Amino acid sequence: MSKELSEIFNFSEITDDCVKCGKCIPVCTIHQINPDEVTSPRGFIELLGQYQNGDLELDKNAKDIFESCFLCTNCVDVCPNSLPTDMVIEEVRADIADKFGIATFKRVFFWLLRHRFAMDMFSKMGYVFKGCMLKSDDKDRGLFARFNLPFIKKGRLLPSMAFTSFLNSHKEHIPAKDSKQKVAIFIGCLGNYNYTNIGSSLLYILEKLNVEVFIPKKQLCCGAPAYFTGDMSSVEYMTTKNIEYFESFMSDYDAMIIPEATCSSMIKHDWERFFANHKMPEWEERAKKLSGKIFMATEWLHSQTNLQDMLAKEGKNIDELVTYHDPCHARKTQDIYTQPRELLSQNYNMIEMSDPNRCCGFGGVTMQTEKFKFAKLAGTPKASMIRDTKASIVSAECSACRVQISESLNDANVETIFKNPIELIAQALGKDEK
Amino acid sequence: MIKDKHINALRDIVGEDNIYSDKAHLIAYSYDATRTKYEPDAVVFPRDEDDISDILKYCNRYKIIITPRGAGSGFTGGALPAHGGIILAMEKHMNKILEIDTQNMVAVVQPAVINMDLQKEAQRHGLFYPPDPASEEYSTLGGNVSENAGGMRAAKYGITKDFVMALRAVRTNGDIIRAGKKTIKDVAGYNTAGILIASEGTLAIISEITLKLIPMPKYKKTYMGIFSDVDSAMNAVFKSLSSGANPVAMEFLDKLVIEALIDKLGVDLPKDAGAVLVGDVDGNVSDEIDFQLKTLEESFKENGATEFRVAKDDDEAKKLWYARKNASQSITIYGNKKLNEDISVPRSMLPEALRNIYKIGEKYGFKVPCFGHAGDGNIHVNVMIDISQLEEGEKAIEEIFQMVVDIGGTLSGEHGIGTSKAPFMGIAFNNEEMNLFRDIKRAFDPNNILNPYKMGL
Ligand SMILES: Cc1cc2nc3c(=O)[nH]c(=O)nc-3n(C[C@H](O)[C@H](O)[C@H](O)COP(=O)(O)OP(=O)(O)OC[C@H]3O[C@@H](n4cnc5c(N)ncnc54)[C@H](O)[C@@H]3O)c2cc1C
Ligand code: SF4
Ligand code: SF4
C-alpha cells in the first residue's frame, strides 16, 4: 500500500531548511562506514524532500537507504539549524512499514513488547530453551548463537535472558524509613529481561539513600524499538497505554528514574515529538506534562541526592580501570555526560577513550538483524579505542550500547567487560557483584 | 543522458559497487552548498589513481562530461554537474592520509581527506597544517586545493596554495603527471602545480597531494579590540602590522553585524561600537606573545580603540571568538535571504571598499552587513534582501563587483567562481586574459569534458 502524496509527512519543510553545507557528513555514523552521499544526513534530507514531491519512489532501494541510518543524532548535534534527521527517518520508516510490511520476526517481537505477560512467558521459554540454540559465554557477557537463526548469524554474542524478569522479581512498593523522596522506576526491556542486575543495583542504591521506591509492574516498552523501525501503531499503543498508566500514580512521586539512555530519551523527548508529528495534540500535552519528571538514573541521583558524597566517603575502593562511553541518547539528546563520570570517579580510576562520543553502532532492531554488516563495521572503531585505554571495564548507561559493544569487543578479542554505571556504583557501595 | 553501454563500460573499470545511476544517487549528487541542483547521469567512485586514469581515457574517447567532487561544500557550484555526465566522487575510496613525513615536514594525502583530519593527524606528530577554511571540519583537501581555500589564519600563514608542495594528477588522455616535489626549492620546468591550484576541476583530476607542514606553535592567545568606527579599526590594523605584530588572524565585524549579535544572540559588546577586531597571536616563546599583544594594544589604543580584551583561558577565548563565528548566523535579522559574496581588496583599500558598499546598499535600500578578514582584505559582503527582491539584489551585487575591480580588488577571495560567479568574469578579466585561460583549458582538456563552461570558460 502506497500513501497518497498528500498523506506524507511534511518532509519538505525540513529539506527547505537544509542549507546543504555538509557539516553533518563527517560525523555521520553510516557515512563513516559507507562514504556515499545517499547514506548521509544531507542526502537523507534531500531524498525525503524529493520523495514528498513525488520525484523519488519509495522502492526497495530507497527502503534500504532509509534503513541504514543509525538514529545516533550526531548530525543533529552539529547542524547549524539543528535539523532533526533522526526524526524524519523515523517518520519515513512508518511509510516503509506501511508499504512493505514489517518482517514477521520483528512483528512478533513488537507484539511481545506490547504484551508484557506473553513476553514474560516467552522469555521464560527462552531461558529454558536457550541451551538448544545458544551457548553461554565463559565470561558471562551473554550467549553465542550456536547456529544461524533467522537474521542472526552463528557465532554472534547475544544478551542472555534472565529466568525471572526484573519486574517479576521485586515487590511493587518498597518503602523506606522516614524517607523524604519517592521515585518510580522505569526499567526498560533489556534491563527487565536480560540485564536484571541493573535493576537490583538501582534498588540497592536507593535503599542506601533511603528513597521510597515504586516499581510500576504494568509498564510497557517505551516504544523506541518500534519507533526506530516505523511500526507506528505499536508506538501509539505503547505510548498511550503507558501515559494513562503513569498518570495514575506519578502525582505521588518526585520522579521516574530510568537507568537506560534510549528509553529515557524516548519518553522525555520523542513521545511528545511523535504525537506532534501524528497530530495528536491532547496526547502531546499529556506527554509534555509527564516529561518534567523523567530523569536518567545517574542524572537524578547526581542532582537530587547526596550519593556523590556517600561515594566519596568510600574513597577509591575498587581497583578497576573504567572507561565511559557516551550513549547517543544520553549525551547528544539529553546533554548527560558529566553526571555518570563524576559519580564513577569517586570509587574507580577513570580513563577517557579517544572518542567517547562516537556512536557504538547499535542502530536499532533492523540494524542488528537485516543490516548487521553495518552495525559490525560501525562497532570496530569503538572496540579498538576501548582496547587502547587498557580499561578492564567499559561503562555506559544504556543496554543497547551494551549489546553492541559487548559484541564488538568479542569480535575484536578484547577482554574488557561492560557494566552499567548503576551496577558499578552499587558495587562500590558494597553490593555483591552478581 | 549517457547510454547504458557507457555505464556498463565504466562498471567494468570500477566494479559493481562503485557506479550508480539509480534515482537516489542522482538526487544525492545533484547539489552542493550553493543549493542549486542539476542531476548527473551517473555517479562513479574511483578506487585509485589507475581507475581515474581509465575512466578519463574512456570518457575522453566518448566525450562524456566529468565533474569531480570532494565534499560538495563549495559555495560557487564547482561540483555541480551543470551539463550532466558523470560525477567523479572522491569521498568513498580516495580518503586516506598516506604519509606524515616528520623529517621533511610534509604530508602526503589522497584528495578526499577532510582538512580537519589532516590537522589532527599532523598535531599528533607535533606538526601544524594552518589553512583553516570555515568548512575545515567537512571540506576535502582536494576541494581546498581546487578552490585555493583560505581561512582566518591566512593573515599570518597564508592560504592553501602556500602549502601545496606537489600534486599528482590525471589528464583527460589518462596520463598521470607529477607536478612539484617534496623539495623546498624547485625551479625545474613550468610550475604545473600552480596552474592546477584553484582550477576548480577544469584541467585535470588531482589524485594525490603533498602538503607542507610546520611545527606546532607552543603558545596561543586571543585578543579583541573595540572601536567606534571602521576607519579607526583599519588604521589600527595598518599600524600594528607595520609595527611588527604578526597575528594569526585579524577578523573584523562592522556596526550592523555588532548590532545583530547584540540583538539576536545577546553577545557582550558595547551598543555604540562601530567595529570590532578579533584574532589570535601565537608563538614558541611567551615573550613573543607578550610582545605581540603589547604591540597590538598600543596600536589599537593609539587609533582610538575604546577597549582591548585578552582572553585568560580557553573558555574566555571561545567567548571572544563567539561573536565572529556567529556573525553569519546573526545577520538574518536584516532579511530573509542573504546574497553573500567574498570579495577581496588590497588591505589598504578596505575602508574605502566598505564605504562604497554601504553607499550601494543605501541606493537599493538594502542593509549590507560586512565582516571578514581585515588582515588580508577579504570581505564577506552580505546583501540582505527579501526573497521577492532577488533581481534588485543581484544588480546591487554586480555594482559591488564593478566597484571592487575598479579599486584593484577581485571577485572572490576564497570561494571560487564555478557557475555562480561565472557571469562576472568579464568584469575582472579582459578578453585577452580570458582567451589565455581558454587556451590553457584546451591544452589540458581538448575535448572540453572536465567540468566544462565553469569559470566563464
Ligand atoms: C559553511 C561554509 C563555510 C565555508 N567557508 C569557507 C572559507 O572560510 N574559506 C574558503 O575558502 N571556502 C569556504 N567554503 C567553501 C568550500 O568549503 C571550499 O571551497 C572547499 O574548498 C570546497 O571543498 P569540497 O571538498 O567541498 O569541494 P567540492 O565543493 O566538492 O568541489 C569544489 C571544486 O573542486 C573540484 N574538485 C574537488 N575534488 C577534486 C579533485 N580531486 N580533482 C580536481 N578537482 C576537484 C570540484 O570539481 C569543484 O570545482 C565554505 C563552505 C561552507 C558550506
Ligand atoms: S542519525 Fe546518525 S546515522 Fe543517521 S543520518 Fe544522523 S548521523 Fe547519520
Ligand atoms: S548540517 Fe544541517 S544544514 Fe548542513 S547539510 Fe547537514 S542537515 Fe543540512
Side-chain angles (χ1 to χ4, degrees), chain A residues 20-33:
Chain A
K20 297 281 180 291
C21 60
K23 194 170 179 190
C24 49
I25 294 177
V27 301
C28 169
T29 305
I30 181 64
H31 189 269
Q32 281 165 357
I33 57 181

Side-chain angles (χ1 to χ4, degrees), chain A residues 16 31 36-37 42 46 61, chain B residues 22 25 29 31 35 71 91:
Chain A
D16 291 346
H31 189 269
D36 183 323
E37 183 89 20
R42 181 171 67 172
E46 181 63 24
N61 183 34
Chain B
D22 58 301
H25 275 87
Y29 285 89
Y31 52 77
R35 306 174 73 178
E91 66 187 309

Side-chain angles (χ1 to χ4, degrees), chain B residues 12 27 56 70-71 93 119 127 135 145 160 165 173 175 217 221 238 263 265 290 312 316 338 376 408 425 432 434:
Chain B
D12 287 342
I27 291 172
L56 262 57
H93 301 292
Q119 289 191 44
L127 297 171
S135 54
V145 172
T160 305
M165 309 270 300
N173 62 7
D175 286 356
K221 279 246 158 112
F238 307 145
D263 280 4
L265 302 170
D290 294 343
K312 278 193 223 51
E316 276 193 36
K338 150 167 93 181
D376 55 36
M425 282 292 272
E432 291 72 19
M434 288 303 289

Side-chain angles (χ1 to χ4, degrees), chain A residues 17-25 41-42 45 75 78-83 85:
Chain A
D17 282 345
C18 169
V19 295
K20 297 281 180 291
C21 60
K23 194 170 179 190
C24 49
I25 294 177
R42 181 171 67 172
I45 286 182
C75 50
V78 301
C79 172
N81 299 330
S82 303
L83 295 179
T85 310

